[in-house]
Structures are given as C-alpha cells and as structure tokens.
C-alpha cells in the first residue's frame, strides 16, 4: 500500500490519502489520515478490504473516528460489518441508501459468489453536514443519481473531493 497523495497546506496541516483496491470488481476505498492528530476516516469498504484497513491503521498508529459510505452498492460496502466489529467506529451514510445495507443480498444486480452481511447501526448525514477528523473538515454533499442517497465528500482546505461513483 502506498500513499497516493500527501497534501500539506503547511507543515502543520497535512492530509494523507491512501487507496485500497479490493474485491472482484476492483473497487477503491480510502484511508484519509490527518497526520497532525493521527485521526483517520475510511471512505467506502470494498469486499476483502477490512483486514487491510486494520493493518494500515495499525502501521500508521492512527485512530479511526468514522467510516463513511458514499453509496450503498455492495462493492462499496461489502466489508462494513466486518470492519465495524473490529474497530467499533461510527458508520455514516445518507438515509435514502440505508435499505441496501439492511438487506444487501437482495439488491445485487447479479448473483454474488459470497454472502454479504447486513449492517443496521448507521448514523445519518445530511447535505452540508461536516465530519471533523483532526484538523480536517469533510463536508457532505448529497449527490443523488447513481443511487438515491449517494454523497460526495469535500475537504475544502486541501481541495479534495471523494465522489464514490457520483459521476456518469
């Protein structure tokens, strides 16, 4: 795993973004680490990524404060239950997308060679909600289209946007 971006406005505020590609359709989840506080977020949790994220958090000595789901198609959420069981960090998503986490096997467009675990302990975000992670402030933008509850995440100070699959 390598850091894809290490963005610093100055030596005191740094945002590190580490992608994890995983699962049968090569979905990418992200560890976002505030290197000034060692607080971290995970954005999307593809199939097979939970253990890799746990190892990464440990190697960085980071404390996970939140898991954020950009939308609830299975390829972005398959390991959410497994990761939550290990780290007990709150899971945030837009309420309109929760039904696919509650019954994930029901909403795949094709048969999967594995069973997905349901997850029912989500916290909800709204448009313009701010999630703080150390010195980082991540703004939630509701961007329905790909799914009815899809969101983008914007960190204005570093000019970074996480889109999930909101384009196209």
């Amino acid at each position: 795993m390598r850091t894809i971006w290490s963005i610093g406005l100055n030596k005191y505020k740094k945002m590190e973004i580490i992608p994890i590609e995983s699962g049968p359709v090569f979905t990418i989840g992200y560890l976002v680490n505030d290197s000034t506080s060692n607080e971290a977020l995970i954005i999307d949790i593809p199939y097979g990524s939970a253990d890799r994220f746990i190892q990464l958090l440990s190697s960085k000595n980071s404390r996970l404060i939140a898991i954020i789901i950009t939308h609830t198609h299975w390829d972005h959420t398959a390991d959410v239950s497994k990761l939550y069981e290990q780290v007990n960090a709150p899971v945030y998503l837009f309420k309109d997308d929760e039904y696919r986490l509650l019954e994930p096997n029901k909403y795949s467009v094709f048969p999967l060679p594995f069973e997905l675990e349901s997850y029912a302990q989500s916290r909800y975000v709204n448009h313009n909600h701010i999630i703080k992670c150390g010195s980082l402030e991540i703004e939630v933008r509701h961007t329905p289209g790909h799914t009815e509850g899809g969101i983008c995440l914007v960190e204005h100070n570093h000019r970074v946007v996480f889109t999930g699959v909101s384009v196209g």
Side-chain angles (χ1 to χ4, degrees), residues 65-110:
I65 61 160
I67 300 164
I68 307 172
I69 307 292
T70 60
H71 69 287
T72 58
H73 283 154
W74 70 267
D75 58 317
H76 289 255
T77 64
D79 268 14
V80 68
S81 291
K82 183 176 182 179
L83 184 63
Y84 178 79
E85 287 171 9
Q86 294 182 51
V87 299
N88 200 28
V91 176
Y92 293 94
L93 60 98
F94 201 84
K95 185 173 178 47
D96 292 355
D97 259 22
E98 183 180 39
Y99 69 96
R100 277 187 292 273
L101 282 185
L102 299 174
E103 297 182 277
N105 295 293
K106 183 177 178 179
Y107 294 101
S108 176
V109 294
F110 54 85

Side-chain angles (χ1 to χ4, degrees), residues 20-78:
I20 301 283
E21 183 180 87
S22 191
V25 293
F26 308 104
T27 304
I28 298 176
Y30 298 93
L31 177 82
V32 178
N33 191 53
D34 173 44
S35 61
T36 61
S37 67
N38 276 353
E39 289 186 345
L41 304 168
I42 291 176
I43 300 171
D44 291 341
I45 310 98
Y47 183 78
S49 67
D51 290 336
R52 294 169 67 193
F53 277 122
I54 296 293
Q55 291 170 351
L56 189 54
L57 287 162
S58 178
S59 71
K60 297 232 163 255
N61 198 27
S62 293
R63 184 173 68 89
L64 184 63
I65 61 160
I67 300 164
I68 307 172
I69 307 292
T70 60
H71 69 287
T72 58
H73 283 154
W74 70 267
D75 58 317
H76 289 255
T77 64

